[in-house]
Amino acid sequence: MSTPVATRPATVSRRAGRFTGFMPLIALVALTAALTAVDPDFLTQRSLTAALRTAAPLIVLAAGATLVVLCGGIDLSIAALASLSTVLLALWLPDLGGLATPAVILIAAAIGAAQGTAHVLLRIPSFIVTLGGMSILSAIALVVSGAGTVRVVDDSTVSWLDLYIGGFLPTSAAMAIVLVALIAVVLKVTPLQSWVSATGYSESAARLAGTPVDLVKIGAFCLSGACAGFAAVMLVSRQFSGGPTMADNLLLPAVAAIVVGGTAITGGHGSVWRSLAGALVVTLLRVGLPIVGVPSAYEQILYGAIIVVAVALTLDGSKVSTIK
C-alpha cells in the first residue's frame, strides 16, 4: 500500500509564506490606487473594461503555465505555441468553421503533451525542452503563415469572445475567470492538487509515496498547451487575424504574472488564483506605464526587474543547496 502523499515539505520556506500570501492583492490595490492618483479618469468603467479585455489572454496563458511551475518545471514555449495557434486558427476557420476552435486547442494540447513526454522520458530539463520547442514552433508558424499575417474573413464562430456581458464585462475575461475556477476546482476535488504539490516539493519523495510523477508532469504540459491554444482563440477574436509573432510579447508578462502571484519558481507552492491576480497586476502595469509617461520600450526592463524581485521573495531556499 502506498504511503499518503505529503502536501507540504518538512521544511517550508518561511520567506515564501510570509511574503506571498497577500502579495498579489496588495500589489493590485496599491497599483490601482497609484494609477488613479496620477490619472483620476483611470478608475472608470471604460478603462477597467479595456484592462480586463487586455488581461484575458494573459490570464489563460499564466493559468496553464502555473501548473508546470507548480510541478517544478517551466514552459517557455507558451507564447510561440499561442502564435502558431493563431495562424492555424486563421487558416482553418474558412473550411472548419466552428470546429476550428476545438481542433486548434487539441493540437496545442498535443504539442504541450509531446514536450512533457520528451522532458519525462529523455530526462531533459523542461527549460531546455521548451526553449527548443519555442524555436521550433516559431519557425513552423513563420513557414505556415508565409511569414505574414493571415486575415480572417469570417470570424463569426469566434467573435462571441469579443462581446460584453452586461455591457461591461468582456466575454473573454469572463471565460478566463471560468477557466481558472475550473482548474482550481478540479485540483481541489481530486488528488491532483496533492500530486502536483508533492511533485514540486520533492520529486523523489513523491515517487516513493506512490505519486504518478511522470503522468502529472505530462498532464501539466498538456494543460499548458491547451491554454495556449485557447489564448490564441481570444487573440484571433480580437485581432481578426493570425500572425506568427502575435503572442510572442506575452511570454515575459506570463512568467511575471506567475511569480508576482506568489508561485514559487522552485515548485510546490502557489495557485492558479494567485496567477490570475498576478496577471491583473502585470496588465495594469502595461496599461499604466503610458499614463505615467513611461515609454513602452521600458516594459521589458520592468518585467525583468519584477521577475528577479518576485523570485527572490518566493524562492524556497531549502530546496536549492547551491546557487549557480
Side-chain angles (χ1 to χ4, degrees), residues 53 56-57 85-105 150-164 170-173 175 229-242 246:
R53 185 169 177 263
S85 297
T86 66
V87 172
L88 295 179
L89 183 61
L91 290 173
W92 292 350
L93 273 174
D95 296 324
L96 297 181
L99 295 177
T101 294
V104 164
I105 294 175
V150 181
R151 298 293 178 184
V152 175
V153 177
D154 182 8
D155 66 339
S156 58
T157 58
V158 296
S159 60
W160 61 275
L161 281 168
D162 204 37
L163 301 177
Y164 294 87
T171 303
S172 57
M175 292 301 298
F230 188 38
V233 178
M234 292 181 172
L235 290 172
V236 171
S237 71
R238 191 170 66 190
Q239 302 291 340
F240 310 108
S241 64
M246 181 171 287

Side-chain angles (χ1 to χ4, degrees), residues 52 62 66-67 116 145 192 238 270 272 279 295 302:
L52 287 173
T66 296
L67 270 293
S145 67
L192 287 174
R238 191 170 66 190
V272 290
L302 182 61

Side-chain angles (χ1 to χ4, degrees), residues 183-207:
I183 294 174
V185 169
V186 170
L187 290 175
K188 190 71 174 179
V189 301
T190 66
L192 287 174
Q193 182 164 308
S194 61
W195 288 351
V196 169
S197 296
T199 299
Y201 280 132
S202 175
E203 185 175 324
S204 58
R207 291 184 186 277

Side-chain angles (χ1 to χ4, degrees), residues 138-302:
S138 295
I140 293 175
L142 285 170
V143 172
V144 172
S145 67
T149 301
V150 181
R151 298 293 178 184
V152 175
V153 177
D154 182 8
D155 66 339
S156 58
T157 58
V158 296
S159 60
W160 61 275
L161 281 168
D162 204 37
L163 301 177
Y164 294 87
I165 299 174
F168 168 72
L169 180 63
T171 303
S172 57
M175 292 301 298
I177 295 171
V178 168
L179 176 66
V180 170
L182 183 61
I183 294 174
V185 169
V186 170
L187 290 175
K188 190 71 174 179
V189 301
T190 66
L192 287 174
Q193 182 164 308
S194 61
W195 288 351
V196 169
S197 296
T199 299
Y201 280 132
S202 175
E203 185 175 324
S204 58
R207 291 184 186 277
L208 291 174
T211 300
V213 172
D214 291 347
L215 290 178
V216 168
K217 285 186 170 184
I218 293 173
F221 275 97
C222 181
L223 179 62
S224 181
C227 287
F230 188 38
V233 178
M234 292 181 172
L235 290 172
V236 171
S237 71
R238 191 170 66 190
Q239 302 291 340
F240 310 108
S241 64
T245 60
M246 181 171 287
D248 287 5
N249 64 342
L250 293 179
L251 177 58
L252 270 182
V255 174
I258 293 170
V259 294
V260 166
T263 295
I265 203 70
T266 46
H269 178 79
S271 73
V272 290
W273 286 115
R274 292 186 178 189
S275 293
L276 186 152
L280 292 177
V281 170
V282 171
T283 300
L284 286 182
L285 284 173
R286 298 177 72 186
V287 173
L289 285 177
I291 293 178
V292 297
V294 179
S296 59
Y298 289 90
E299 281 188 20
Q300 302 301 319
I301 298 175
L302 182 61

